[in-house]
Each structure stands twice: as structure tokens, then as C-alpha cells.
Amino acid sequence: MSKEVTLELQGVSKKFESTLAVNDLSFSVHPGKITGFLGPNGAGKTTTLRILLGLVSQDSGRALVNGQSYRELENPANLVGASLDSNSFHPARTGKDTLMVQTSAAGIPDARIAEVLNIVGLTEAANKKVGEYSLGMRQRLGLASAMLGDPQVLVLDEPINGLDPQGITWVREYLKHLASEGRTILVSSHVLSEVEQTVDSLVVINRGKLVYEGTVKNLRSQTKTSVFVSATESAKLEAALSASHKFIKREDGVVIEDVEPQEIGELALKNGIALTQLRTESTGLEKAFLELISNGGAE
């Protein structure tokens, strides 16, 4: 890429009537990385993205693309590509015509249409009406639309919603490829398992405020460790645990929060208990996210 571009919000706030949708929000999105943008429903994610793209005016603060507001950019379509709503395309237009409207408005050569349709796997559906597209096909069309200007920045809202597993894998690998070229990518998604496999860094908001900015690894490290354990003599195991640990009883064993496996193994050995299973429970992004939102007071 010819130039690296950073996205930045500086103290942005936006109120709709009595609702403060975005509250003094600041964060940065850097080139060469895929940044995940997370938050519960109603957290202010879509409003934030719309502010960043100049579709909504903030009440205060600054939303910057390469140091300028989106509306100040000379050729925004050649710098920033975005897909916020796959249902916004006119249902009576074909996929090809939908993109042609955009190329005409942005001064992009029409030859680019065939290129992006091929990239997203919609060549055979180019002359099909968008109203006949599946949700997954509309998502692909949204990505094609975002890529028309071969932009240095991509802003995508729920890009894998409606895609089959093969499509999800393709989007993941394609975004990683784009990031490797030095592009700046901001992706909002509620599919946390996929975010965990895709993004390099995270921005998490709740009630319009920033509650986390950093790597997935660092966020996961902040969660409590859970251990699952089972034994041939389950009653004896529970009795030994009850003296010093709180645990959750399950049909196949028990789960102990905020403890390391070694500690439970030593306890079992001390009490002559033969364990059948001892493992760390998943401390994935979903658990870390839920703990973070809970601590931040989710709605």
C-alpha cells in the first residue's frame, strides 16, 4: 500500500434525545492489523462507526481518518471502504448495477466491478437481482462494495453474519491478507469465537464508553481460571473441596473457579483421591468479554 492510515476517535460523544449513545469515546485503529470492535447490543457500536464515516455528526470530540474528518477527505472512496448494512441495497437492482452506481459516483473505473465480484465469489450472480440474494450473498456484495476503490481502510459491521462456514473462513483469510498489505481494518462482530481467530487487537465499549483497548491475549489473561475435575469417588472429592473451595457440581464432575489445576491435583493426592479428569476450562474471548461487560455494568 502506498500510505498507512490510522483511524482515531478523540473524546467523541453523541446524544440522541435523552440517550447518550457515545460517551467521551477515544481509541485508535492502526495499519497492518485487524481490530475487532465489540460491545453488547445498544453499546453504541453502529453509531460510532457512522460517526467515523461522516454519516452522523458527533456532539463533541473528533473522528479522524489519517488526521482528517471523513467529510474533509478529497477522494474518500479510494481511501476508505465500508459496509454497514447488507440490507440497504436496492432489491430491484442487480449486483452489478448496484456497484455501477457507486463507481459512477466515485469516479472509479467500471472494470473494477468485475474484479471485486470475482474476489467475493459473486461473478455468476452479477446479473441477478439483489432481492433474490441470500443474506450471505448480500454480505459478499457489501464487501465487494467496500473494496471498489481498493481502499487502504476497511470498516465492516458484522461482515460474517449469514455466511456459511466456508464463507466465514474465506472472509477471515481475506481480511488477514489485506491486513498483511498494511491496510487498516476495523470489524464489528458479535460472533466472538470468530473474532478470537481473526483479530489482532480489540476495542470494547459498553454504554458508549470504552471499557477495553488492547490484544485478545491480554484480555483473556484478565479472566479467572476455571478447573474441571472428576473422580472415581465423587463424594469424597466434593467433601475435600468443600473445606477450602467453592465449586459448581455437574453430572460429570465439578467446576472450581479461580484456581490452578496443580492446586486441585495436590489436594486430591493429599486426600488419596483418584482423579479421572483434571483440566482447565475454556478461558476464551467469550468468557473474558462477558466478565468485562458485567464488571462495566451491561444493560
Side-chain angles (χ1 to χ4, degrees):
M1 301 302 294
S2 59
K3 191 174 184 180
E4 293 188 338
V5 179
T6 298
L7 303 179
E8 188 175 7
L9 265 71
Q10 300 175 349
V12 170
S13 294
K14 178 65 180 180
K15 191 173 185 179
F16 295 103
E17 298 180 353
S18 61
T19 301
L20 187 58
V22 182
N23 186 1
D24 193 27
L25 184 59
S26 299
F27 65 84
S28 299
V29 182
H30 299 283
K33 296 181 179 180
I34 303 173
T35 299
F37 190 35
L38 306 182
N41 290 337
K45 300 189 300 298
T46 298
T47 299
T48 300
L49 296 181
R50 292 177 67 83
I51 289 172
L52 188 60
L53 296 169
L55 300 173
V56 172
S57 297
Q58 65 268 31
D59 297 328
S60 59
R62 304 174 72 196
L64 305 173
V65 180
N66 206 29
Q68 294 180 286
S69 71
Y70 184 89
R71 294 174 182 176
E72 294 173 336
L73 299 175
E74 290 186 13
N75 298 299
N78 295 109
L79 185 65
V80 182
S83 178
L84 299 188
D85 184 1
S86 62
N87 292 314
S88 64
F89 299 117
H90 196 295
R93 289 196 182 110
T94 66
K96 181 179 178 180
D97 288 343
T98 296
L99 299 183
M100 191 170 291
V101 170
Q102 294 179 250
T103 56
S104 298
I108 298 170
D110 287 343
R112 179 64 176 164
I113 294 174
E115 293 176 8
V116 295
L117 286 173
N118 181 59
I119 288 172
V120 302
L122 286 179
T123 298
E124 294 183 2
N127 295 311
K128 187 176 182 179
K129 290 182 179 180
V130 175
E132 300 173 8
Y133 278 18
S134 65
L135 175 57
M137 292 171 71
R138 292 198 300 274
Q139 290 286 70
R140 289 175 179 267
L141 184 63
L143 184 55
S145 171
M147 289 301 298
L148 274 174
D150 196 19
Q152 293 163 280
V153 178
L154 272 180
V155 178
L156 307 174
D157 193 7
E158 303 289 355
I160 62 172
N161 186 31
L163 294 180
D164 58 22
Q166 183 179 10
I168 291 173
T169 300
W170 176 82
V171 169
R172 180 201 310 152
E173 296 307 315
Y174 184 57
L175 293 182
K176 288 181 177 180
H177 168 70
L178 294 175
S180 73
E181 296 180 332
R183 305 189 203 231
T184 304
I185 303 175
L186 180 62
V187 180
S188 171
S189 179
H190 68 279
V191 185
L192 299 182
S193 59
E194 181 56 33
V195 168
E196 189 167 15
Q197 296 182 66
T198 305
V199 307
D200 303 295
S201 58
L202 288 171
V203 172
V204 184
I205 67 172
N206 190 24
R207 293 182 176 176
K209 290 186 69 69
L210 181 72
V211 293
Y212 180 79
E213 183 176 13
T215 65
V216 175
K217 181 178 180 180
N218 185 58
L219 178 56
R220 289 179 60 180
S221 71
Q222 297 177 25
T223 64
K224 296 178 180 179
T225 302
S226 299
V227 170
F228 173 81
V229 60
S230 61
T232 53
E233 299 177 276
S234 57
K236 188 175 180 180
L237 171 64
E238 292 168 18
L241 287 171
S242 62
S244 55
H245 296 82
K246 291 184 178 180
F247 59 87
I248 301 171
K249 188 175 180 180
R250 298 196 324 207
E251 288 186 8
D252 54 345
V254 297
V255 175
I256 308 101
E257 292 280 356
D258 198 19
V259 69
E260 295 298 328
Q262 181 180 349
E263 182 180 340
I264 300 304
E266 291 174 351
L267 177 68
L269 180 62
K270 180 181 177 180
N271 289 273
I273 300 170
L275 299 181
T276 54
Q277 292 189 70
L278 176 61
R279 66 173 185 266
T280 301
E281 290 279 86
S282 173
T283 55
L285 179 60
E286 182 174 2
K287 181 179 178 182
F289 173 78
L290 292 174
E291 284 190 11
L292 181 66
I293 295 303
S294 176
N295 293 336
E299 292 181 273

